Amino acid sequence: MTSPPYDVVVRPDGVHHLESADPHNIVRLILPQAATPSARNDQAAKTLRRWLSEGVLTPDPDPGLYVYEQRDSNGMLQRGVIGTLRVSDPAEQVVLPHEDVMPHIVADRAALMRATSANLEPLLLTYRGDDSTTATADLIERTAEQPPLLATTTEDGFSHRLWSVTAPADLATIQGDLARHQALIADGHHRWATYHRLRTEHPSPSPWDHGLVLLVDTARYPLRVRAIHRLLHDLPVGEAVAALDGHFRVRRLEVPLSEALEALADAACAGNAFLLAGDGAFHLVDHPDPDLLARTVPAERPTAWRTLDATVLHATLLDHVWHIPEDSPAHISYIHDAAATVAKAERDGGTAVLMHPVREEVVRDLARQGVTMPRKSTSFGPKPASGLVLRVLDL
């Protein structure tokens, strides 16, 4: 059974829900539950080997790629290609990251991949197709007209279909077309950094020279760009709002979440804006003090980076106003779903910080300049469902 990617599952609620839904849910591999990190990773490795021996997971007999389709009830359609990609050096600018990573998450993912000797879920990468990728685009569309190898529908309403591509001529077409393009990491910065770490640990050539990815042509299939929200565990909303006095404008909104997010979107058109929650209401935060921004936001970075909401949140609010370390799981969590963030803040007495999404063109332009955004700045989607395609390195 499938799961969202490991960093989208709301823990522990989402993990428990997925585990109880099916004894073979992939969450048991990507987020194993045990008393210690070592025990968790050992458990994931044993579970993977058991599922392989029992036929729960079946190796594909032929090498190849997969055409992968996602579709929702509102007409959203995304198609791409799943396969292995060479883990290139940053200087080559073949794969462009756009966000910083947190070392403890990279270490956690690396330990899990070492223990399982597997890429358990594909990263989401995008490229901008043009006349040179027409053959690949046509091949994807023709493949999607055939009966799928696998089809399923997930709880979020998305239908998923998968086809294998094994003909040598088709594989050569895709490889030749895409080799001339750059890829932007849409989702999976920590896993890409993990691929790099594990590649350096294993003398080349080795299976660790490559990593599992999904490549989507956003010229044909534009992705949705959503925000990733923050949950501040030890900061009650009242204290968070009080600390903003004289630094930002704060307005209390007694409205449903949907209307509060609309107000945030309107405010974001005029400048940096955030939505705080956790006490049963919403607090719209905007109009930052220019002098405060001048003192706290690094001046040597490009203007597009300096004016990002995520930059102001991390450099100004977290560092200088609230004094919260951004890389400490004990103090801050990163959650993709706004309603879940608000619910956890209200239940635990913390502060939810809801963000407005960044436009894709801003992300891509900064990435091409080699400028990374603050960690967890964006959430591209739809993300590939975990559990459909895995890569076991030592089969």
Side-chain angles (χ1 to χ4, degrees):
M1 188 173 175
T2 64
S3 162
Y6 80 98
D7 58 341
V8 179
V9 178
V10 178
R11 289 170 264 187
D13 304 4
V15 174
H16 294 159
H17 169 72
L18 292 166
E19 283 186 332
S20 61
D22 190 286
H24 300 123
N25 193 289
I26 191 68
V27 77
R28 297 177 185 273
L29 300 184
I30 62 175
L31 289 173
Q33 302 298 294
T36 66
S38 177
R40 289 196 294 269
N41 296 332
D42 289 345
Q43 178 176 292
K46 292 175 182 177
T47 301
L48 175 60
R49 299 303 158 183
R50 186 174 72 252
W51 287 358
L52 286 167
S53 66
E54 294 174 351
V56 175
L57 296 172
T58 304
D60 195 316
D62 300 310
L65 301 171
Y66 299 90
V67 170
Y68 175 51
E69 175 191 280
Q70 295 163 277
R71 188 192 299 264
D72 71 6
S73 58
N74 298 318
M76 170 100 186
L77 174 65
Q78 177 174 290
R79 288 176 179 150
V81 176
I82 295 178
T84 59
L85 181 68
R86 181 177 65 87
V87 182
S88 55
D89 292 324
E92 297 179 65
Q93 292 195 313
V94 173
V95 176
L96 302 176
H98 70 267
E99 289 181 355
D100 294 330
V101 298
M102 290 176 271
H104 74 275
I105 296 181
V106 175
D108 174 76
R109 291 294 99 184
L112 178 62
M113 287 191 203
R114 284 190 206 98
T116 58
S117 190
N119 301 152
L120 298 173
E121 44 188 349
L123 285 64
L124 175 59
L125 306 186
T126 73
Y127 65 98
R128 300 291 292 177
D130 52 27
D131 290 344
S132 69
T133 58
T134 300
T136 292
D138 291 344
L139 192 157
I140 291 173
E141 301 308 310
R142 289 197 311 272
T143 302
E145 294 173 356
Q146 306 302 314
L149 178 69
L150 177 152
T152 189
T153 300
T154 46
E155 283 188 342
D156 56 8
F158 270 90
S159 64
H160 305 259
R161 298 198 297 167
L162 195 71
W163 298 262
S164 61
V165 178
T166 58
D170 292 340
L171 299 178
T173 293
I174 295 173
Q175 184 175 20
D177 280 1
L178 301 191
R180 297 187 288 269
H181 287 260
Q182 288 179 317
L184 174 73
I185 301 177
D187 184 68
H189 284 81
H190 289 90
R191 283 167 287 168
W192 183 252
T194 300
Y195 288 170
H196 269 280
R197 175 178 293 192
L198 294 173
R199 186 197 66 174
T200 63
E201 294 176 2
H202 297 81
S204 185
S206 83
W208 298 98
D209 291 342
H210 295 78
L212 187 66
V213 304
L214 164 64
L215 279 162
V216 173
D217 176 4
T218 53
R220 297 179 67 88
Y221 299 108
L223 271 65
R224 296 170 178 165
V225 186
R226 292 177 174 165
I228 302 177
H229 311 291
R230 276 65 170 162
L231 176 62
L232 312 181
H233 298 291
D234 299 325
L235 181 66
V237 177
E239 294 181 18
V241 170
L244 299 177
D245 186 40
H247 299 309
F248 288 77
R249 182 175 70 172
V250 182
R251 289 174 283 166
R252 183 182 178 93
L253 306 178
E254 300 279 358
V255 298
L257 174 60
S258 58
E259 293 183 26
L261 290 173
E262 289 176 3
L264 173 62
D266 290 340
C269 293
N272 300 118
F274 312 92
L275 203 61
L276 307 188
D279 60 355
F282 296 98
H283 306 267
L284 183 61
V285 177
D286 61 1
H287 290 198
D289 174 20
D291 291 337
L292 175 66
L293 298 184
R295 293 195 308 272
T296 57
V297 177
E300 68 276 7
R301 295 293 193 96
T303 300
W305 182 90
R306 298 178 68 248
T307 55
L308 290 169
D309 287 340
T311 297
V312 173
L313 172 64
H314 286 257
T316 304
L317 287 172
L318 294 180
D319 287 355
H320 292 274
V321 176
W322 293 328
H323 306 291
I324 294 176
E326 62 179 320
D327 57 355
S328 170
H331 293 89
I332 184 170
S333 293
Y334 299 83
I335 303 177
H336 291 71
D337 183 79
T341 311
V342 173
K344 287 182 72 66
E346 292 181 345
R347 185 182 65 195
D348 301 339
T351 295
V353 183
L354 305 186
M355 310 281 288
H356 186 66
V358 184
R359 300 191 316 277
E360 180 182 356
E361 57 266 29
V362 173
V363 176
R364 194 175 293 274
D365 286 347
L366 285 172
R368 284 175 175 158
Q369 296 176 54
V371 178
T372 53
M373 299 164 64
R375 59 198 63 177
K376 299 293 184 180
S377 293
T378 60
S379 176
F380 283 85
K383 304 177 190 303
S386 299
L388 299 180
V389 178
L390 291 70
R391 176 177 177 245
V392 181
L393 278 68
D394 55 2
L395 283 179

